[in-house]
Amino acid sequence: MEITDDATGSTAQAATATTTEWSPELATVLTGAAELARTAIIEHSGDDTVGDYLGVGYEDPASATHRFLAHLPGYQGWQWAVVVASYPGADHATVSEVVLVPGPESLLAPQWVPWDERVQPGDLSPGDLLAPLADDLRLVPGYMSSGDPQVDETAAEIGLGRRTVMSAWGRAEAAQRWHDGDHGPRAHMAQSTKRVCRDCGFFLPLAGSLGTMFGVCGNEISADGYIVDFEYGCGAHSDTPAPAGGGSPMYDPYDDGVLDVSEAPAKPSAAPAEPSEVPTEASEVLPEPSEAPEPGETPAEPNEAPAEASEVPTEASEPPAEPSEPPAEPS
């Protein structure tokens, strides 16, 4: 009969031993060592780090593993595994090791990856040192200087004189990476224009075999200093026509931002009030002349002059003023 590992619930990794391989006394000693295993964990890590008992599994006919739930910060779901051992005829077991192992639902770190596989483009920072691999396929041995100035000058032009140079495989890999990158024909910028770098005046072709496909952009407004594909393009191409209606180069463009703006005068808040008093008619009546003029005499002026229009009109509620003296009867 195969014994199941109660800690993980899996029979694939459980003990291959069967109860027929032990004596009943040995099986009783190994299975009954649960408290001994708990005591070993407490001595190793403390009483508050041990949780519930999860069961026992058997590694071989002379040993067993007791498991307990671990209570440790950052180790949720992990288990304490205590291996105990004994021998036929013994009346007790001894502790072989105390280890912390992951459970079936514990959070584990990602699988370890060698450093040369972890480093990605853009990870290199100022001061970092990154040596190439010993068998880097991108590099092949170069040639030392020969001492002949003419030969060495020619060799420098084609890449000789260095300890290593890029292999054909390395150049092809770089070309494919540049072609598929941000400055290749499938880039969003290149898809938005019909003009390409191949016939642009700012395009500086590379030397050597890579110069048949790539160059460096010399336009500071565009991909200045970057390797660009022949089929890459942008809106700053040297053949881009000027927009229609852009003004004449003989005159400065109109800019309303340099004008002085003044605020309009504020409107009156209310209409002028109408006079509250209604003007009345003239309150005085012209008096009749007191005496008739004699023959040959100039007629006399009336005693009182009519009221001027500039006088303040009286209230409408007041009656017209009576003349102060009745007109004199003619004699």
Side-chain angles (χ1 to χ4, degrees):
M1 180 180 69
E2 188 177 26
I3 306 300
T4 302
D5 186 351
D6 295 334
T8 61
S10 172
T11 59
Q13 299 178 356
T16 59
T18 63
T19 55
T20 58
E21 297 176 1
W22 316 332
S23 64
E25 293 81 6
L26 181 58
T28 301
V29 171
L30 293 175
T31 305
E35 287 303 320
L36 175 64
R38 180 183 289 274
T39 302
I41 299 174
I42 293 175
E43 293 178 356
H44 179 269
S45 183
D47 186 24
D48 56 344
T49 64
V50 188
D52 298 336
Y53 181 64
L54 300 177
V56 60
Y58 303 98
E59 309 298 335
D60 56 53
S63 63
T65 301
H66 294 271
R67 299 205 180 197
F68 301 83
L69 186 64
H71 290 166
L72 291 172
Y75 289 86
Q76 183 177 1
W78 284 58
Q79 304 169 2
W80 289 110
V82 182
V83 180
V84 297
S86 187
Y87 59 93
D91 59 352
H92 67 281
T94 57
V95 177
S96 297
E97 62 178 344
V98 178
V99 294
L100 190 64
V101 295
E105 298 180 356
S106 58
L107 181 63
L108 301 178
Q111 185 178 4
W112 182 81
V113 179
W115 69 266
D116 58 316
E117 299 179 17
R118 293 197 306 268
V119 177
Q120 301 296 323
D123 291 346
L124 191 67
S125 301
D128 292 344
L129 299 178
L130 182 62
L133 299 177
D135 55 350
D136 197 329
L137 298 178
R138 299 171 299 175
L139 300 174
V140 293
Y143 297 90
M144 300 300 293
S145 299
S146 64
D148 186 344
Q150 294 183 350
V151 174
D152 292 343
E153 183 178 356
T154 304
E157 291 293 331
I158 62 176
L160 303 179
R162 292 171 287 171
R163 294 184 59 185
T164 57
V165 294
M166 288 195 73
S167 63
W169 184 87
R171 292 195 301 271
E173 184 188 40
Q176 188 65 48
R177 189 169 59 250
W178 296 345
H179 182 77
D180 298 336
D182 294 338
H183 298 97
R186 287 190 291 269
H188 181 70
M189 181 69 77
Q191 296 292 326
S192 63
T193 181
K194 296 181 179 179
R195 294 178 174 84
V196 294
C197 292
R198 180 178 55 247
D199 52 8
C200 179
F202 297 109
F203 182 77
L204 306 173
L206 296 180
S209 60
L210 292 177
T212 60
M213 291 182 60
F214 304 99
V216 178
C217 178
N219 189 346
E220 61 182 356
I221 304 301
S222 185
D224 188 30
Y226 285 93
I227 300 292
V228 293
D229 193 280
F230 268 17
E231 302 300 323
Y232 180 74
C234 70
H237 193 281
S238 60
D239 294 338
T240 302
S248 171
M250 296 178 60
Y251 303 97
D252 293 333
Y254 175 76
D255 186 3
D256 57 0
V258 300
L259 299 179
D260 294 332
V261 180
S262 59
E263 297 182 359
K267 296 181 179 181
S269 58
E274 297 182 358
S276 58
E277 298 180 358
V278 180
T280 60
E281 296 181 357
S283 59
E284 297 183 358
V285 180
L286 293 177
E288 296 181 2
S290 56
E291 296 182 356
E294 295 292 335
E297 294 182 1
T298 304
E301 294 293 334
N303 295 337
E304 298 182 6
E308 296 291 338
S310 61
E311 295 181 0
V312 179
T314 58
E315 297 292 337
S317 59
E318 298 180 2
E322 295 292 337
S324 58
E325 296 181 2
E329 293 292 335
S331 56

